[in-house]
């Protein structure tokens, strides 16, 4: 077993909050989002919005740790704790809000009864037991439970992160101390609701209204009990669909937009996460001459050198030499989980091949499989929004790229999506798209843009390479017919992580020419000639 690679794997275990709880404190970097999560506006919840693998669960888990250390009451509710069986297919939004409000109260009571609280004594303990025992059987349960939550709410006092969380880096500790100042001395009972989209089946007509109803019920809970500080996590894809669903409550979107805490999605953020872990792994090995030292804030190759051979490598099917940092970051979809899982796979491959470090051979061997995995993950993530997403992605293997590798003009992208819709049925957000409708063409194009499959690139002489990439979150109306002039000044690149997958798709397609007709043997052929004579 290689010591360096084994240490690296321990810091890049899985990329999920559940698999990383043992190291969360040391690698936590979501300071800005944590600050907002801990201080939702009075009478309103915060919506924590981000893609899968963006760190939503990690923030909630860390917030629960801080609150537990402060003895501030908090509970985590998941769809498994919410009984929605009383909601029928024909229920109005108002009916569903009333049901969810009652169910939330019951879920909070049940969760508290299952947890070792340690917060309650004297009269509060009596009230607590009475609330749990009463349940929904009492007409005044909601009022009594609301009074209970307000009564047991406690303020956060000044947190000594140095003693409470000794493994935090010095910089993160200082940032968190400043971030939590907004929440000091404000009484709170924290309610976190995770994996919210699982309470509904978005492919069913009107089912997204269930999510709206839950959000409205949580807002009513926060409004009726000001001490309740609620945070609801929501996948980006679901939030996007809530905003465009024709059968939903789109009029509510503006009310909730200001309550959204958007997870960071940038290469710089992923870089910070990767290099913190590399630095911690190197420190544990004594590679920086100070075993066990906290994270060093300087960014550089020294963090990669104990684990990666040389300064970089070439990707499969490419002659361009890139740094290890760039090779990993451009294949992360700007999601921490992707980057963490890629490093994990690279280290395990190198270890299995008895190598001392990750080298070019390892990278080229891992990437095709990783690229296919990410393509399939993309399909799974958006299957309810666009069931044919992976099949559409595969069509980019057959494009003739006139602007360089995997790069298209806006005219070429528009023409390509029009051809796709003409070839096979495409369902988007429950509606069948029509190739004759320009709005449908732009809608599927926009979907692949906001999903990160296509990256928009524009010229910018201020940048080192003379161009910059656009962030779809900062300009969500770019892909539209009314913005055609702007689109004509834009080039479109297929996200790097999908390219190895598409190259393999192209190779497979090239071997399947014509029908799979069995070739006649010479004996059968001669028989055929005799029959015809």
């Amino acid at each position: 077993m290689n010591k360096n690679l084994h240490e690296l794997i321990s810091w890049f275990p899985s990329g999920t909050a559940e698999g990383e709880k043992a190291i969360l404190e040391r690698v936590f970097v979501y300071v800005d989002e944590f600050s907002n999560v801990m201080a939702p506006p009075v009478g309103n919840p915060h919506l924590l919005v981000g893609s899968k693998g963006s760190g939503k669960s990690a923030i909630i888990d860390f917030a629960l740790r801080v609150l537990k250390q402060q003895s501030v009451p908090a509970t985590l509710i998941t769809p498994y704790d919410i009984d929605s069986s009383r909601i029928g297919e024909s229920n109005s939004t108002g009916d569903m809000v009333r049901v969810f409000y009652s169910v939330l109260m019951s879920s909070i009571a049940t969760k508290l009864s299952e947890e070792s609280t340690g917060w309650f004594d004297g009269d509060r303990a009596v009230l607590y037991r009475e609330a749990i025992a009463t349940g929904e059987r009492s007409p005044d349960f909601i009022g009594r439970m609301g009074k209970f939550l307000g009564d047991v709410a406690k303020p956060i006092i000044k947190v000594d992160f140095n003693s409470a969380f000794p493994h935090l880096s010095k910089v993160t500790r200082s940032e968190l101390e400043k971030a939590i100042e907004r929440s000091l001395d404000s009484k709170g009972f924290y309610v976190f609701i995770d994996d919210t989209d699982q309470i509904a089946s978005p492919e069913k007509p009107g089912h997204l209204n269930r999510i709206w109803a839950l959000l409205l019920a949580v807002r009513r809970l926060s409004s009726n009990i000001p001490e309740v500080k609620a945070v609801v996590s929501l996948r980006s894809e679901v939030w996007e669909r809530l905003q465009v669903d024709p059968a939903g409550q789109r009029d509510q979107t503006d009310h909730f937009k200001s309550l959204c805490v958007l997870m960071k999605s940038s290469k710089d953020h992923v870089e910070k996460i990767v290099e913190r872990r590399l630095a911690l792994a190197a420190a544990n090995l004594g590679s920086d001459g100070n075993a066990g030292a906290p994270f060093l804030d300087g960014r550089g190759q020294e963090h990669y050198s104990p684990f990666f051979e040389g300064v970089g490598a070439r990707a499969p099917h490419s002659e361009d030499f890139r740094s290890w940092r760039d090779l990993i970051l451009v294949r992360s979809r700007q999601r921490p989980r992707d980057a963490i899982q890629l490093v994990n796979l690279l280290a395990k491959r190198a270890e299995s091949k008895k190598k001392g470090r990750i080298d070019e051979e390892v990278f080229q061997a891992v990437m095709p499989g990783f690229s296919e995995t990410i393509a399939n993950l993309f399909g799974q993530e958006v299957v309810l929004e666009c069931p044919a997403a992976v099949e559409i992605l595969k069509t980019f293997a057959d494009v003739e790229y006139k602007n360089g590798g995997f790069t298209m003009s806006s005219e070429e992208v528009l023409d390509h999506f029009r051809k796709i819709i003409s070839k096979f049925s495409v369902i988007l957000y429950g509606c069948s798209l029509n190739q004759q409708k320009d709005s449908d063409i732009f809608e599927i194009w926009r979907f692949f843009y906001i999903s990160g499959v296509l990256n928009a690139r524009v010229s910018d002489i201020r940048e080192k390479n003379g161009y910059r990439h656009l962030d779809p979150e900062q300009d969500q109306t770019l892909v539209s017919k009314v913005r055609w002039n702007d689109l004509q000044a834009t080039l479109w690149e297929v996200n790097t992580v999908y390219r190895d997958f598409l190259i393999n798709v192209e190779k497979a397609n090239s071997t399947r020419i014509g029908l799979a007709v069995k070739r006649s043997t010479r004996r059968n052929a001669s028989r055929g000639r005799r029959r015809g004579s």
Side-chain angles (χ1 to χ4, degrees), residues 322-375:
R322 304 283 296 273
S323 70
W324 287 116
R325 168 190 170 278
D326 288 345
L327 288 170
I328 292 170
L329 294 182
V330 299
R331 287 163 174 80
S332 68
R333 292 190 295 173
Q334 298 185 3
R335 300 188 191 186
R337 185 182 298 175
D338 287 4
I340 292 167
Q341 291 179 344
L342 175 55
V343 175
N344 176 279
L345 290 171
L346 292 171
K348 287 181 176 178
R349 172 77 181 190
E351 192 174 50
S352 70
K353 295 298 181 180
K354 310 299 181 186
K355 292 178 178 285
R357 290 180 174 85
I358 297 166
D359 58 16
E360 182 176 276
E361 181 184 4
V362 168
F363 188 81
Q364 293 189 355
V366 166
M367 269 315 303
F370 181 74
S371 181
E372 182 175 358
T373 297
I374 295 299

Side-chain angles (χ1 to χ4, degrees), residues 11 30 55 76 89 117 127 165 191 254 296 319 327 332 337-338 342 370 372 416 429 446 462 492 501 514 531-532:
W11 290 100
Y30 304 99
L76 172 63
E89 296 294 331
T117 60
L127 178 61
F165 302 97
V191 177
D254 290 339
L296 303 175
E319 294 301 319
L327 288 170
S332 68
R337 185 182 298 175
D338 287 4
L342 175 55
F370 181 74
E372 182 175 358
H416 182 67
Y429 300 129
R446 178 177 177 274
R462 297 168 298 180
W492 298 86
F501 168 68
R531 288 194 188 103

Side-chain angles (χ1 to χ4, degrees), residues 242-517:
L242 287 172
Q243 297 177 80
V244 301
D245 180 33
Q249 305 290 315
R250 285 189 289 178
D251 58 314
Q252 295 290 344
T253 301
D254 290 339
H255 298 297
F256 279 91
K257 272 186 177 179
S258 62
L259 301 174
C260 288
V261 178
L262 301 178
M263 295 296 298
K264 289 179 180 175
S265 179
S266 69
K267 286 171 62 177
D268 287 343
H269 186 63
V270 175
E271 177 186 15
K272 184 177 180 181
I273 291 170
V274 170
E275 296 201 351
R276 170 162 294 185
R277 291 168 185 250
L278 290 173
L280 287 164
N284 269 11
L285 292 169
S287 299
D288 60 359
N290 187 10
F295 170 68
L296 303 175
D297 292 303
R299 297 177 180 179
Q301 177 61 27
E302 67 271 12
H303 300 325
Y304 287 83
S305 57
F307 315 105
F308 291 82
E309 192 69 46
V311 297
R314 292 165 299 179
H317 318 291
S318 175
E319 294 301 319
D320 294 334
F321 189 85
R322 304 283 296 273
S323 70
W324 287 116
R325 168 190 170 278
D326 288 345
L327 288 170
I328 292 170
L329 294 182
V330 299
R331 287 163 174 80
S332 68
R333 292 190 295 173
Q334 298 185 3
R335 300 188 191 186
R337 185 182 298 175
D338 287 4
I340 292 167
Q341 291 179 344
L342 175 55
V343 175
N344 176 279
L345 290 171
L346 292 171
K348 287 181 176 178
R349 172 77 181 190
E351 192 174 50
S352 70
K353 295 298 181 180
K354 310 299 181 186
K355 292 178 178 285
R357 290 180 174 85
I358 297 166
D359 58 16
E360 182 176 276
E361 181 184 4
V362 168
F363 188 81
Q364 293 189 355
V366 166
M367 269 315 303
F370 181 74
S371 181
E372 182 175 358
T373 297
I374 295 299
N376 289 328
L377 279 175
F378 162 65
Q380 293 168 20
E381 291 164 2
V382 302
V383 66
L384 299 179
E385 289 77 26
C386 184
V390 174
E391 293 308 310
I392 295 173
L393 173 61
K394 288 179 180 178
T395 65
F396 286 91
D398 300 322
V399 172
E400 183 180 347
Y401 295 98
K402 300 176 182 177
N403 291 279
F406 292 97
T407 303
M408 310 167 70
S409 68
S410 290
E411 290 87 350
E412 290 169 329
V413 175
L414 184 67
D415 184 56
H416 182 67
F417 278 117
R418 194 182 300 278
K419 289 177 179 177
I420 289 171
I421 298 177
S422 70
K423 288 181 178 178
F424 55 87
S425 175
V426 176
I427 307 294
L428 184 64
Y429 300 129
C431 299
S432 182
L433 301 188
N434 185 339
Q435 71 174 67
Q436 302 300 325
K437 295 176 65 175
D438 286 345
S439 59
D440 284 3
I441 310 299
F442 281 100
E443 194 63 28
I444 187 65
W445 179 356
R446 178 177 177 274
F447 178 79
F448 272 74
Y449 175 43
I450 64 175
S451 298
V453 175
L454 295 177
N455 297 329
R457 193 180 87 192
V458 295
S459 298
D460 191 335
I461 59 175
R462 297 168 298 180
E463 299 294 326
K464 178 181 178 181
N465 296 318
Y467 64 84
R468 59 184 170 87
H469 289 99
L470 303 180
D471 183 352
E473 291 182 0
Q474 301 300 318
D475 189 359
Q476 296 194 359
T477 66
L478 173 63
V479 181
S480 57
K481 192 172 183 177
V482 296
R483 298 280 303 276
W484 183 246
N485 287 340
D486 293 330
L487 288 173
Q488 286 184 306
T490 307
L491 288 176
W492 298 86
E493 303 171 339
V494 177
N495 192 311
T496 308
V497 73
Y498 299 111
R499 297 181 185 182
D500 293 308
F501 168 68
L502 293 177
I503 289 171
N504 284 343
V505 169
E506 181 187 23
K507 289 180 178 178
N509 290 344
S510 67
T511 64
R512 293 195 293 265
I513 299 176
L515 296 175
V517 179

